[in-house]
Structures are given as structure tokens and as C-alpha cells.
Amino acid sequence: SVGRIFSGANDDVVVLLSRRKRFVAERYDAKSGEYLDTKPIERRRGLLSRDGARLWTRDRKGVTCMDMLGPGVSRVALGGNGPLSERGALAVTGVGDDELVCVSGTEVRWKTQLQGRDLSEAARLDGLDVEDDEFEAPLLGRAALSDGVAYVPDANGVLHALNLADGSLRWRFKGAHYPTTQRPRQPVLWGEHIAFVCSDEFLYRVGSDGARLESFELPGPAPIDPV
């Protein structure tokens, strides 16, 4: 069965799939379709780096980084099996509902536990009956990574901006309305701004300082990550 398909290095296409109960990455020439080679994958879920040089894979036991054009392999033991993002030699992944971890090679660079949110104010603004101090854990989505910042969405309608170097918090942006979905969508980097499809069914344009610049109501929850 075919999983994800990526544009790789040197005009090739990388296909992640399950073949005879084994997980593999197959490379094909993008122009001719000619088969090039196959690499076994240790873990079920994978993500190819933008330059096609590395394949990051993730499961409930950890993260593996494979050199697509050579024999190099590095592993980090982690639990949680959270969403995975990459930026060059770094990968950022969730562990449990509220912890974010950055790995490089065989090392954990940093760990950060993100704050939950009191949703009672948003509920009252939307005319909903809730108990006071309705505090919810974050339930993190897949981060978008820039050169220096990790933008991490959560199911409470919060976008966390973290310094990629050490995991420290820059700012938190909160959606204006009560969230309606538990599937936080990956934000999109849009020049100096961030397009944030929030779990409150609004699209927000957020500045690099965390300020809300524009908002647009959507017809419903976003079914897929935006592009």
C-alpha cells in the first residue's frame, strides 16, 4: 500500500509504502519513472527533508534519520508518537499531548512543555454555558519550522512560537472563539506572516510578533492541512 509521496533530490521521487509487511522508501526518476533503489524503513511514519537528503521516520518508540544518498542512520528513543516536522538537520516532534522535543542526530536538543488554555472566556464570548476555569491541555499539532522559529498549533486554538535554538517561548497567539475540532492544522509561513487555520473555524493572518492582522470565518473545520 502506498503512503506519502515526496519530491526528492536529483530529480527523483520518493514513495513511502508498505511492501510484504515491511516499510520501505522507493526512489524513482521523476522524468522517466525508472526505478532507482529501495531503502528499508524502521518506523511506520516518515517525512522527507526539503532538500531530499534525509528521511525522518517516527513511531511510538522514537525517531530515525536516514541519509537518502548514503548509509548514514541516527536514532533517538522517544515515546508519544506525536506529529513530526523537519528543518535541515533538526526534527521537532510531539511527545504526549503537551510536550515538544527537538532532535538532531542521536541527541535531544531540547524539550519544552507547552501551556494549556482557559477556554471559559472564549466560551462566554460565543454564548456558551461552561464552568469557570475550563482549562484544557494543548493537544499539539504539526509545527511549521522557519530558520529560527517553530510555530506549533494546538487544539485549543493557540499558536505557540518557540525559538528553534532552545525551545523557549517567543509568544502565544489565541484564536478568538471556542474551538470546535481536535485536529489542529499545520500553519503556513507566508512571507513575514503566518497563516493559521485555527481550531475555532477561523483563518488568522498573524504577524511575526504574534499580532492578529486579519481574520476570516471558514465554512467549517479544515479537512486537511492548508497549503
Side-chain angles (χ1 to χ4, degrees):
S1 61
V2 176
R4 302 185 70 181
I5 301 174
F6 298 93
S7 175
N10 302 324
D11 291 324
D12 61 17
V13 173
V14 177
V15 183
L16 306 187
L17 49 83
S18 174
R19 191 182 295 282
R20 302 183 191 90
K21 297 183 179 180
R22 296 181 64 194
F23 300 112
V24 298
E26 293 187 349
R27 289 197 308 123
Y28 295 84
D29 184 273
K31 295 179 180 179
S32 67
E34 178 185 0
Y35 166 79
L36 299 175
D37 61 35
T38 297
K39 278 184 173 287
I41 300 176
E42 298 179 2
R43 308 183 192 278
R44 183 182 185 93
R45 184 161 50 88
L47 178 67
L48 192 70
S49 63
R50 295 183 184 183
D51 60 6
R54 300 176 180 87
L55 178 65
W56 296 90
T57 59
R58 176 78 160 107
D59 64 12
R60 61 184 177 84
K61 295 182 179 181
V63 175
T64 296
C65 182
M66 301 174 57
D67 185 350
M68 285 301 295
L69 303 178
V73 179
S74 57
R75 304 172 181 88
V76 177
L78 290 174
N81 201 18
L84 179 69
S85 304
E86 63 81 26
R87 184 75 179 185
L90 299 177
V92 170
T93 184
V95 176
D97 289 344
D98 62 356
E99 187 173 54
L100 201 70
V101 176
C102 178
V103 301
S104 176
T106 59
E107 298 179 346
V108 174
R109 289 284 189 92
W110 48 259
K111 295 182 180 180
T112 297
Q113 189 170 22
L114 300 182
Q115 297 179 7
R117 179 185 181 186
D118 181 0
L119 292 167
S120 55
E121 180 180 359
R124 284 192 291 270
L125 289 174
D126 286 349
L128 303 176
D129 293 328
V130 295
E131 298 179 359
D132 290 338
D133 192 25
E134 185 186 344
F135 188 82
E136 297 290 344
L139 186 56
L140 305 179
R142 186 179 169 200
L145 308 183
S146 71
D147 289 335
V149 186
Y151 299 98
V152 189
D154 73 29
N156 291 334
V158 178
L159 181 64
H160 309 258
L162 308 179
N163 288 306
L164 196 52
D166 58 10
S168 59
L169 181 69
R170 286 193 174 194
W171 47 259
R172 297 173 77 213
F173 172 88
K174 298 178 182 179
H177 301 276
Y178 195 84
T180 59
T181 176
Q182 293 294 299
R183 295 289 300 274
R185 297 301 178 186
Q186 184 183 32
V188 175
L189 305 183
W190 179 12
E192 296 181 354
H193 302 154
I194 306 100
F196 176 39
V197 176
C198 186
S199 54
D200 66 2
E201 299 182 27
F202 274 74
L203 167 64
Y204 295 95
R205 184 163 66 94
V206 183
S208 59
D209 58 353
R212 185 172 78 180
L213 304 178
E214 289 183 286
S215 63
F216 306 91
E217 187 172 5
L218 302 173
I224 60 173
D225 287 345
V227 294

